[in-house]
Amino acid sequence: MLSRWKKLLPSIILAGAAMVGACDDDGDPTGADTLTAPGNVQATAASNTSATVQFGAVSGADGYVIERAPGTAGEFALLTEVTATTHTDSGLEPGAVYRYRVAATRGTETSAFSAVAVVELPDLPTADIVGDITANRTLRADTVYTLGGFVHVTNGATLTIEPGTLIRGIPASALFIMRGAKIEAVGTAAAPIVMTSSRAVGQRQPGDWGGLVIVGNGIINRGPSVQLEGTGTVGGTVPGTNYAIDYGSGTNNADDSGHLEYVRIEFAGFGPVQDAELNSLTLAAVGSGTTIRYVQALGGLDDHFELFGGAVDMQYLVSYESGDDHFDMSEGYVGRIQYAIAFQSVVLTPRPGAGNVSNDPQGIENDGCAGANCFNGQNSVPLNIPLVANFTLIGTGPGVVPAGGGRGMMLRRGTGGYYVNGVIARWPAYAITLRDAATNQRITDGDLLLRNLLAAGNGATFEPDDPASSTRHYSVDAGANAIETNSSAPASLFTSLTASLEGLDWTPPAGSPAASGGLTSFTGAIATRAGTFVTPTSYRGAADPAGARWWASWTNYARN
């Protein structure tokens, strides 16, 4: 018997070798080895605002996934996918700690992640801004600035902010550009201007500071004296304190308050008094001479973009994880907005003592007039009639926001407006709410138009009327206005709805309903209001299926 096994042994070994050559460790008959995690991962500071990640090549890999986490305990999220074994991560915060890990990929296969590499970036020299700014001043990118209180740019001064400049705010702080003054904050996609919390990355929360407020000489439908919410906690006008700001009695909707471009406003919305939080970006009676484009608000406690009257035009806006409404327009706003994104997946916990989380957060919430001193109640003129085109509003789905919120568009209290080529998805209550008799009158008069909208994954498209309630709700003919309710899953409308660092991609893939169905020519009131600023598109939503990802590189999707 033993001699027989000795004779068979060479053939058994040859057969086993052939089988090993035909299968990998997972039984895959491809001949490929199991992918291993990259080794020798290192992260080094390339500058105050960038880090270089390097790692060893993995045999058989065709690419690598790099994830980044803020601070020493933040969650990892996708940063980028590369084919090289080195990558420079830019737009980071000076003095912050970041962690990186890497996985190898081959086709659909992904390895385990590597060991974590940690880097602490060097900080820049620092300077405090206290009191008010009454003469022209420039903030430079080689210094990190901290707002030491409620800073007002007054006396017709211009505040210029260089690309790449970082401004931090303490809780009882905000930056106000007063009527007659200007802000010239023009960053670039590679070097955005960042206004953020003074707390370390990984520890930041909504309400960490007050936000940016611009007060213009535009027209509102309230008056003659209207105090800005959240201001006036002290008497007088002592520089650097939270004195009262009046934005009423403006006369010039063409007023120029300056220029914002490639600006991020993070973790703002501090409330100086109970239930009177400031917003991330407040535009009070700001005129059309002002230029605002490529602006992101993220992690704020109250509204992200709030407009009170005026006529400022805006393009390329991103709102991420708002504490209240993403876009709020009221009191006679007649400006134009094109290419605007709102994304909500969670409700972030605010800084203790900063203010309250909203009980009715919405994507868009527009009012005609609802405060004191409205000239004619909800019918006050100038009517609130914005033109909002190519918007993408993405909600949380059920079980996240309070029952009073979760509407993609809340149009009420006599607002009008033209809403064109939008996508409204994943709002747990309703895609659209048309509330109050005065709002219905705007529909009757042709001052409120909904055209070529796509609704998907919402509780319902229109909020129905409840005869038992004293509040009336209305709707419009969906077919006549090209309002499509689609059964597709909201995530299928876009390339990626992964809420991660630079992982969100609102571009409609091939075959997405959002890639078509747009209003391709404007007529009547829409054409008149659009002028040359707003252009028709064949697609719906904020992203051109064949166009550039205009939000890429300068936006951020951190939650702390």
Side-chain angles (χ1 to χ4, degrees):
M1 179 70 78
L2 182 60
S3 61
R4 180 183 177 189
W5 279 109
K6 287 181 178 179
K7 291 179 181 179
L8 291 174
L9 188 59
S11 60
I12 292 172
I13 293 173
L14 288 173
M19 291 178 67
V20 169
C23 298
D24 64 12
D25 292 344
D26 295 327
D28 179 8
T30 62
D33 294 329
T34 299
L35 277 179
T36 59
N40 195 30
V41 179
Q42 300 179 35
T44 57
S47 69
N48 301 87
T49 59
S50 62
T52 298
V53 182
Q54 296 177 301
F55 47 91
V58 175
S59 177
D62 57 22
Y64 303 92
V65 173
I66 302 176
E67 289 192 344
R68 179 177 76 190
T72 58
E75 295 182 0
F76 279 99
L78 175 67
L79 172 63
T80 188
E81 298 181 18
V82 297
T83 56
T85 57
T86 182
H87 173 74
T88 298
D89 184 16
S90 59
L92 304 177
E93 183 172 338
V97 173
Y98 294 93
R99 300 171 2 254
Y100 297 87
R101 64 185 186 184
V102 187
T105 62
R106 177 175 58 209
T108 59
E109 184 182 3
T110 302
S111 75
F113 276 98
S114 68
V116 175
V118 182
V119 60
E120 181 175 0
L121 301 182
D123 212 341
L124 292 169
T126 61
D128 292 337
I129 303 176
V130 295
D132 287 349
I133 297 172
T134 59
N136 294 349
R137 181 171 179 180
T138 298
L139 305 185
R140 304 193 182 281
D142 60 2
T143 302
V144 174
Y145 299 88
T146 298
L147 298 174
F150 296 93
V151 176
H152 306 78
V153 181
T154 67
N155 199 37
T158 295
L159 177 64
T160 301
I161 306 176
E162 290 185 342
T165 300
L166 176 63
I167 301 171
R168 296 169 176 160
I170 64 174
S173 73
L175 179 60
F176 297 86
I177 312 301
M178 301 294 284
R179 179 172 287 170
K182 290 184 179 181
I183 182 171
E184 293 294 333
V186 183
T188 67
I193 294 165
V194 179
M195 303 179 183
T196 191
S197 166
S198 61
R199 300 167 83 184
V201 172
Q203 300 175 13
R204 301 172 297 186
Q205 292 178 280
D208 274 351
W209 69 294
L212 174 61
V213 179
I214 303 177
V215 183
N217 193 39
I219 301 168
I220 67 172
N221 59 21
R222 294 174 64 194
S225 177
V226 187
Q227 182 174 316
L228 187 69
E229 182 182 22
T231 69
T233 56
V234 299
T237 56
V238 177
T241 64
N242 189 31
Y243 50 77
I245 294 175
D246 181 359
Y247 66 95
S249 304
T251 59
N252 181 14
N253 261 355
D255 188 42
D256 181 1
S257 294
H259 193 168
L260 296 182
E261 189 161 350
Y262 292 109
V263 174
R264 288 205 316 262
I265 305 170
E266 305 176 342
F267 305 103
F270 172 77
V273 294
Q274 182 71 28
D275 298 323
E277 295 85 10
L278 296 168
N279 306 290
S280 294
L281 177 60
T282 302
L283 301 170
V286 175
S288 61
T290 310
T291 301
I292 298 179
R293 50 203 308 264
Y294 300 104
V295 177
Q296 182 190 19
L298 68 95
L301 178 55
D302 204 67
D303 298 334
H304 272 177
F305 295 86
E306 177 140 20
L307 299 102
F308 298 109
V312 63
D313 296 325
M314 300 193 289
Q315 290 178 309
Y316 306 110
L317 309 177
V318 178
S319 175
Y320 177 73
E321 309 292 26
S322 176
D324 196 4
D325 307 318
H326 291 266
F327 301 97
D328 191 324
M329 302 158 236
S330 63
E331 299 182 9
Y333 173 61
V334 294
R336 301 167 292 187
I337 298 173
Q338 187 169 27
Y339 310 117
I341 294 169
F343 180 91
Q344 192 83 32
S345 63
V346 298
V347 176
L348 301 175
T349 302
R351 183 181 184 125
N356 296 323
V357 174
S358 171
N359 61 7
D360 61 348
Q362 327 287 4
I364 290 175
E365 182 178 280
N366 288 359
D367 298 337
C369 194
N373 299 338
C374 291
F375 292 135
N376 186 26
Q378 295 182 357
N379 295 304
S380 296
V381 294
L383 297 174
N384 197 69
I385 307 180
L387 169 57
V388 187
N390 294 98
F391 52 92
T392 295
L393 309 175
I394 303 169
T396 63
V400 178
V401 299
R407 293 161 174 81
M409 297 173 63
M410 166 69 82
L411 308 179
R412 64 182 185 178
R413 297 173 176 169
T415 190
Y418 312 131
Y419 306 89
V420 184
N421 291 346
V423 175
I424 311 165
R426 210 172 67 184
W427 294 91
Y430 309 99
I432 303 167
T433 293
L434 301 172
R435 179 181 294 180
D436 305 317
T439 303
N440 189 48
Q441 188 63 46
R442 303 291 93 79
I443 298 172
T444 301
D445 295 343
D447 291 324
L448 200 170
L449 302 174
L450 305 172
R451 294 287 188 273
N452 295 72
L453 306 180
L454 172 64
N458 304 293
T461 299
F462 288 99
E463 182 167 0
D465 189 45
D466 179 3
S469 172
S470 60
T471 302
R472 298 273 67 81
H473 292 85
Y474 303 89
S475 63
V476 299
D477 187 300
N481 293 283
I483 300 172
E484 176 187 353
T485 299
N486 194 280
S487 60
S488 300
S492 70
L493 305 178
F494 311 99
T495 298
S496 174
L497 285 189
T498 302
S500 62
L501 300 169
E502 300 187 14
L504 287 160
D505 188 344
W506 293 278
T507 307
S512 167
S516 59
L519 184 62
T520 56
S521 63
F522 294 159
T523 59
I526 296 177
T528 300
R529 181 61 59 86
T532 59
F533 184 81
V534 175
T535 56
T537 64
S538 60
Y539 57 90
R540 293 170 288 186
D544 185 343
R549 288 161 170 77
W550 53 262
W551 58 86
S553 76
W554 62 276
T555 55
N556 183 26
Y557 304 104
R559 292 177 176 171
N560 52 34

